[in-house]
């Protein structure tokens, strides 16, 4: 996956230590991800690379492990999330109009 998305993350303005936390602090980290324009790319990166620590794309390490366990046949989370975004955008597009 192209790493250019990382420079657009909302977390770039804060400290990386804020994303590698435990307990209730994880909820604060996840809240930062909620409005991030590259949340899906970040999550896909963490899933595809099997990153074990920190909050990535709004999910904790425990949540990502559970997702990987539920969907063991997914080879590329980046491809899966891009396809889901295209389907979502197409469903929202006015009838007869296509999105890029």
């Amino acid at each position: 996956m192209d790493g250019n998305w990382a420079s657009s993350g909302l977390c770039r303005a804060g400290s990386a230590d804020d994303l590698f936390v435990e307990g209730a602090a994880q909820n604060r980290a996840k809240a930062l991800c909620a409005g991030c324009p590259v949340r899906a790319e970040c999550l896909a990166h963490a899933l595809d690379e099997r990153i074990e620590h920190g909050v990535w794309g709004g999910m904790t390490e425990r949540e990502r492990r559970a997702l990987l366990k539920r969907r063991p046949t997914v080879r590329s989370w980046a491809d899966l999330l891009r396809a889901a975004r295209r389907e979502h955008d197409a469903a929202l597009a006015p009838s007869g109009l296509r999105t890029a």
Side-chain angles (χ1 to χ4, degrees):
M1 167 175 253
D2 183 359
N4 291 334
W5 59 267
S7 62
S8 299
L10 291 179
C11 59
R12 298 289 292 179
S15 168
D17 291 340
D18 294 339
L19 300 173
F20 295 90
V21 292
E22 295 180 6
Q26 288 180 327
N27 290 329
R28 287 189 297 277
K30 288 168 56 171
L32 176 64
C33 298
C36 186
V38 294
R39 180 179 179 178
E41 292 84 352
C42 180
L43 177 59
H45 172 74
L47 292 167
D48 284 341
E49 299 297 322
R50 304 299 195 264
I51 296 174
E52 294 184 17
H53 302 287
V55 172
W56 292 79
M59 292 183 84
T60 66
E61 55 269 16
R62 179 177 288 161
E63 292 167 333
R64 291 192 309 275
R65 278 194 304 271
L67 181 57
L68 289 167
K69 192 173 189 176
R70 282 193 310 269
R71 302 285 305 267
T73 61
V74 174
R75 291 203 179 280
S76 171
W77 287 92
D79 291 346
L80 179 72
L81 293 176
R82 269 194 296 271
R85 179 178 283 156
R86 282 193 302 273
E87 289 176 21
H88 176 76
D89 290 348
L92 292 178
S95 182
L97 296 178
R98 297 186 65 108
T99 58

